[in-house]
């Protein structure tokens, strides 16, 4: 059976798509619900996103999440390009920033600490570095078995974000000036990292994150991006054009 993004993992029947909107009206994630009688997943939220295969996340009332990933995890240049393109798209469309759509993958020998960049319309670059926040054993288990399931509470998701920032800050600061680099935590394969963990992270760890020295720090979801080190001055760093 070939599963499409809007079909039930269990019975293969079409799911009812339900957009889930944040307070400002933008779609954060989209839920898919099977309504077939007798299906074991009837009425359960199935979030399908990413390539290859798809992923499923079920949020509970306390915002804990049961997360299942299917297929082989993406990695390397393809993973970097996808996260950066999503991020650039959010900046262009949601924040109306003068940023060109094209993303250039860079050679680390020539550009230490930078994975990719995009050009500002008036000159200069948005320099990005991409990292994945999930434990390496999660990706290894998924690569071996083609499927991995984890249950994480809200605190777990926040701690994963902090650990990713801490590790990336220490490594990159050894080889580059990080004050003009923006790290992106790739949450496209784990929606609980992109929603709602960023709000809790900014409240509990925002001051700490700002002290790491980056230009800005973001987590990228399937179709969203949230800044983790934002301050009272606004959601965008003052070094960016029109911010």
């Amino acid at each position: 059976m070939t599963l499409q993004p809007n079909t039930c993992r269990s019975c293969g029947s079409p799911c009812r798509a339900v957009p889930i909107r944040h307070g400002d009206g933008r779609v954060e994630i989209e839920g898919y619900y099977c309504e077939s009688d007798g299906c074991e997943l009837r009425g359960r939220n199935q979030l399908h996103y990413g390539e290859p295969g798809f992923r499923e996340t079920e949020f509970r009332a306390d915002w804990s999440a049961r997360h299942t990933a299917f297929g082989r995890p993406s990695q390397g240049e393809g993973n970097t390009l996808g996260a950066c393109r999503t991020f650039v798209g959010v900046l262009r469309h949601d924040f109306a920033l003068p940023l060109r759509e094209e993303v250039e993958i860079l050679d680390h020998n020539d550009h230490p600490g930078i994975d990719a960049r995009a050009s500002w319309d008036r000159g200069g670059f948005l320099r990005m570095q991409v990292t994945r926040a999930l434990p390496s054993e999660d990706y290894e288990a998924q690569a071996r078995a083609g499927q991995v399931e984890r249950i994480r509470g809200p605190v777990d998701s926040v701690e994963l974000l902090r650990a990713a920032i801490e590790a990336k800050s220490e490594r990159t600061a050894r080889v580059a000036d990080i004050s003009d680099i923006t790290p992106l935590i790739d949450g496209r394969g784990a929606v609980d990292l992109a929603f709602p963990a960023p709000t809790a992270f900014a409240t509990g760890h925002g001051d700490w994150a700002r002290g790491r020295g980056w230009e800005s720090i973001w987590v990228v979801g399937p179709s969203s991006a949230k800044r983790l080190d934002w301050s009272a001055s606004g959601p965008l760093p003052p070094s960016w054009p029109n911010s």
Side-chain angles (χ1 to χ4, degrees):
M1 181 187 304
T2 301
L3 291 173
Q4 299 301 318
N6 62 344
T7 56
C8 175
R9 174 170 65 90
S10 179
C11 68
S13 63
C15 290
R16 175 171 58 90
V18 179
I20 302 175
R21 299 183 180 275
H22 197 48
D24 58 8
R26 288 181 295 141
V27 176
E28 287 283 354
I29 52 179
E30 191 165 7
Y32 294 92
Y33 294 82
C34 178
E35 299 178 315
S36 297
D37 292 335
C39 178
E40 62 178 351
L41 298 183
R42 175 181 168 86
R44 200 174 97 185
N45 188 3
Q46 299 180 60
L47 298 178
H48 303 256
Y49 49 91
E51 292 291 342
F54 65 87
R55 288 91 167 116
E56 170 193 312
T57 299
E58 178 186 6
F59 286 109
R60 299 172 179 176
D62 63 353
W63 287 114
S64 63
R66 176 180 177 272
H67 175 73
T68 309
F70 304 85
R72 296 294 186 269
S74 60
Q75 57 185 345
E77 183 173 313
N79 185 68
T80 296
L81 189 60
C84 291
R85 282 176 171 170
T86 298
F87 182 57
V88 168
V90 169
L91 295 184
R92 283 167 49 86
H93 297 113
D94 292 2
F95 294 96
L97 292 184
L99 187 64
R100 296 178 184 174
E101 187 175 6
E102 295 78 14
V103 172
E104 179 186 5
I105 299 296
L106 300 177
D107 187 325
H108 289 163
N109 292 324
D110 298 328
H111 303 274
I114 307 171
D115 292 328
R117 67 185 182 186
S119 300
W120 296 108
D121 285 350
R122 298 169 189 170
F125 298 100
L126 167 64
R127 298 172 178 85
M128 297 165 282
Q129 183 178 118
V130 178
T131 186
R132 299 194 293 191
L134 297 183
S136 58
E137 54 264 28
D138 283 17
Y139 298 111
E140 293 167 0
Q142 184 183 347
R144 288 194 304 269
Q147 176 176 336
V148 64
E149 180 177 299
R150 297 289 185 267
I151 295 177
R152 290 189 289 270
V155 174
D156 299 324
S157 300
V158 169
E159 289 302 320
L160 285 173
L161 292 176
R162 178 171 173 129
I165 294 169
E166 194 162 24
K168 195 57 108 170
S169 298
E170 292 176 356
R171 288 196 299 267
T172 309
R174 300 191 193 111
V175 299
D177 175 7
I178 64 175
S179 63
D180 65 350
I181 302 174
T182 289
L184 309 178
I185 299 176
D186 188 0
R188 295 173 303 143
V191 155
D192 54 301
L193 299 182
F195 173 90
T199 300
F201 180 94
T203 300
H205 303 276
D207 290 341
W208 171 85
R210 284 191 293 277
R212 299 309 94 195
W214 299 94
E215 184 173 47
S216 62
I217 306 170
W218 298 70
V219 57
V220 178
S223 60
S224 65
K226 296 292 184 182
R227 188 175 176 187
L228 298 176
D229 62 338
W230 60 272
S231 65
S233 62
L236 303 175
S239 57
W240 288 0
N242 288 354
S243 61

